[in-house]
Amino acid sequence: MILRKAVRAAVCATTSAIALLTAVPASAAEYDAWHRQIANSPYVQRSANFGQGVRIAVLDTGTAVRHVDLRQRLLRTDSMTTAGGRWYVDGDGHGTSVASAAVGTYNGVGIVGVAPRASLLTVQISTDGSASSRAINLGLRRAVDKGAKVINLSFGDNGWERSWLYEFGLHKAMQYAARHAVIVVSAGNDGNYKPDDTAMHLLLNGVAGAGIMAGSVDRNNMDSSFSNAPGTVKWNGVLARNYFLNAPGEDIRLASHRGGYEVTSGTSFSAPIIAGAAALVRARHPHLTPKQTVSILLNSALDLGSAGTDGLYGRGLLQVSRALQAAGAARVASGRRVGGPYTLLSSSALAGGAAMGSLQSLRSALAGAVIFDDYGRDFAADFDGRIVTRGATVDVLQRLFDDTRERVIGAEMGDMMLLVAGSEPVADRRHLLSDTGSGYRTSGQRESVPEGFALAWRHGATEMTIGHGSRFAEGAEGPFTLSGVSAAGPVFALAEGGAFGRVAHDIGRDLSIGARFSEATPELAALGLSGKASAMAVAATWQPNNGLRFEVSPTFLREDAGALGSLSSGATSLADSADTLALTTSAAWSFAEGFALRGHLTEGVTTVSPGAGSLFRSVEPLRSRAYGVSLEKAGVFEDSDTFGVAVSRPLRVYSGAAALDVPVGRTLGGEVVYKHAALGMAPDGVQTDLEVTYGRTITDGITSNLHLVVQNDAGHRRGALEGGALARIRLQF
């Protein structure tokens, strides 16, 4: 049967069965303007491969098959007519214009549609502007059967008088189509606060959520005077405004069935613009269901009018670029299926310890990694800003700044001494305090550390120190700022900064033993990283004569949320916990008057347990090493000056590998596709530090020092060269 009603198309009136919602052509306007309105561009289209692989069915008056902007997009074998005509003949011209808004070819000629590489499936339901209910319903079903993923209906019937048979048939046909395709229906050109009846069918059971009603706005994003608005109407308890979306529909230059182009207006042309956007979304992410695609387009819209969904603009204005961006939380999958176990990208970070270098091998392994959004869409994961290194390179300005803040206050109390440090507490080469026969005094070199305090006491051959926030108990030997030999060793130093304690006992004139502990809570607030480190060490020192000393110190280090000074979390959690066992040996030899030769060697092995949800599936034991030598001469030019040269290699991982499973995509069935990667944890460079220092006493309590530092393969990065010079004057009271 044919359903005949009166339809007003914006300005002019015409009589048809189901009228084509087209307003009178308006004045010419620049084509690119409406693309900018909806945030569409070649760059945006390219991200979705211009819609390639998606079939858009246009149920209309046919298509001018020879038009330069359509002939390459047409599916000639599968296009059809359900109206008894020839689908490749468009006597009315409406279907040609509608199709070009969706799929106009990107060929440098004429116009460009929203999805210029999508395929056009023409379904001719009318030859003269009127269509039977049978032609429409059959067209919907056949479009789906031919593989359409998006269906555009730029027609409607004005008014609310409805044939039960037509309603029932259209409802069933739309239900069938909604299971497979996004349905976009023009809202109508009556200027009413209610969409056309055909569009309202999108709210019925089995259809709601899979379709969009298309309204029109002008170039200033104001509602077109002719466009129907959603108002407050509802069907089946569903408000029309919830599925109402706008696109440009005034003064749109589109393909003409006569060849060439014409400028026209109407919600008929807003609809295919939205349909083209739906094709881009589905081309970029083929797994999406019609309802998911509709939700993406609606939720990414630019809000117009009153805040939120309203009765004039519904959900707002189509924004193609937003629709192709990740929505909601960025998830890094760790399970077999999308939607399974995951960690958030925002909670995933890795600050590598100095011993691991630049982590370039990890960055390379993560190339191609993806995250999944709320709709299970995969997007490139940007880990660059979430993987940083905590290098061992020299920072002369920071050291100079630290030195300007030096202040240590001490109070003697018999066999005890209380020290409070502003930024640089005292450190002795062997003990915190030296017995002078009458009370205790501080001695040795100082170095910059956090604020803190220490309480030390000595009784006979036993000395004990406790404190917080500084390294009173241990310090670097010699006059060096960077290359000095620490009695505690570089592994123990990774747990310094919090509570600490030390006890030492002299067994005889040439042998002493001791034990120490320290803990720290390192953090990197910028990446939301925090951890905990605690270390225990024992030491045996043998000094056979005044010119020779040896020390051996086994160390145990436990780290949470990191390994060897690193901090990590989430998908890049290198270690939920790590245990390091290290052995530090050092020796000092005063072989001639004023000369001192020192050396140290640390060997360590670290066992790592990756965190839950981490991309690290396993980590082999990490072997690390640090060593160095220094030569000092006192009394070079005068009795109070000192000259020294030191060469050292700071702690570096030299052996160990990790295995990662990196998500790089998904299947249509929802399984995560992983790339298996193996990477060596040893950095590509071996940092070597050369430091030359000269110091002299200017007068009592005033000393000056000059330090020159050169670092080859700085930060254990091959070819990196850094250095600096530091001059400082110290005043001690």
Side-chain angles (χ1 to χ4, degrees), residues 324-679:
L324 293 172
Q325 296 172 6
R331 301 168 173 86
V332 183
S334 57
R336 188 175 65 86
R337 297 190 60 81
V338 177
Y342 67 88
T343 54
L344 296 178
L345 180 63
S346 60
S347 63
S348 301
L350 173 58
M356 297 179 184
S358 65
L359 297 173
Q360 185 56 47
S361 59
L362 175 60
R363 300 174 195 272
S364 299
L366 292 175
V370 300
I371 56 92
F372 296 99
D373 73 350
D374 286 354
Y375 297 94
R377 296 182 292 176
D378 55 311
F379 294 89
D382 182 9
F383 282 102
D384 285 346
R386 309 202 66 79
I387 298 178
V388 299
T389 55
R390 308 169 73 188
T393 56
V394 64
D395 189 342
V396 173
L397 290 178
Q398 183 61 48
R399 292 180 185 276
L400 181 60
F401 175 72
D402 287 341
D403 285 350
T404 64
R405 300 167 60 235
E406 173 185 337
R407 56 187 184 276
V408 180
I409 301 174
E412 297 181 14
M413 298 168 287
D415 287 347
M416 293 186 181
M417 186 173 189
L418 174 65
L419 297 176
V420 179
S423 68
E424 182 175 312
V426 181
D428 182 35
R429 298 175 185 175
R430 285 190 60 202
H431 303 293
L432 173 66
L433 303 175
S434 297
D435 189 354
T436 64
S438 59
Y440 295 84
R441 64 175 175 82
T442 62
S443 65
Q445 299 297 321
R446 299 183 177 188
E447 59 179 356
S448 297
V449 293
E451 297 182 359
F453 70 91
L455 179 63
W457 65 93
R458 184 181 181 102
H459 180 71
T462 302
E463 175 189 317
M464 182 175 290
T465 307
I466 60 172
H468 186 279
S470 60
R471 288 183 288 174
F472 284 100
E474 304 296 342
E477 291 194 287
F480 305 100
T481 64
L482 186 67
S483 306
V485 180
S486 171
V491 172
F492 189 90
L494 296 174
E496 291 177 328
F500 66 89
R502 178 179 183 276
V503 61
H505 180 72
D506 293 333
I507 297 177
R509 293 176 56 89
D510 56 359
L511 183 63
S512 65
I513 59 173
R516 60 182 73 92
F517 82 89
S518 183
E519 65 179 20
T521 54
E523 64 177 13
L524 186 58
L527 292 177
L529 293 174
S530 62
K532 182 179 180 180
S534 57
M536 296 192 66
V538 295
T541 304
W542 180 45
Q543 189 168 341
N545 56 59
N546 290 334
L548 191 61
R549 179 171 63 83
F550 301 95
E551 180 170 301
V552 178
S553 178
T555 301
F556 175 77
L557 172 68
R558 163 61 64 88
E559 296 172 278
D560 295 332
L564 290 176
S566 67
L567 292 173
S568 59
S569 66
T572 50
S573 176
L574 173 63
D576 182 59
S577 64
D579 294 332
T580 300
L581 185 62
L583 180 66
T584 296
T585 58
S586 62
W589 180 30
S590 299
F591 58 90
E593 183 178 357
F595 283 92
L597 180 64
R598 296 185 174 88
H600 70 98
L601 171 65
T602 296
E603 286 280 348
V605 59
T606 304
T607 57
V608 174
S609 300
S614 173
L615 301 182
F616 287 93
R617 292 296 181 255
S618 63
V619 180
E620 294 178 356
L622 305 177
R623 299 185 181 277
S624 56
R625 177 183 296 142
Y627 55 95
V629 295
S630 64
L631 177 64
E632 305 157 36
K633 175 64 172 74
V636 180
F637 302 109
E638 56 187 46
D639 292 341
S640 62
D641 67 350
T642 303
F643 176 80
V645 178
V647 179
S648 64
R649 286 184 167 174
L651 192 67
R652 174 184 179 270
V653 173
Y654 67 86
S655 175
L660 287 81
D661 287 341
V662 182
V664 294
R666 59 161 294 157
T667 66
L668 290 177
E671 292 191 352
V672 181
V673 178
Y674 286 97
K675 173 184 71 174
H676 302 285
L679 61 124

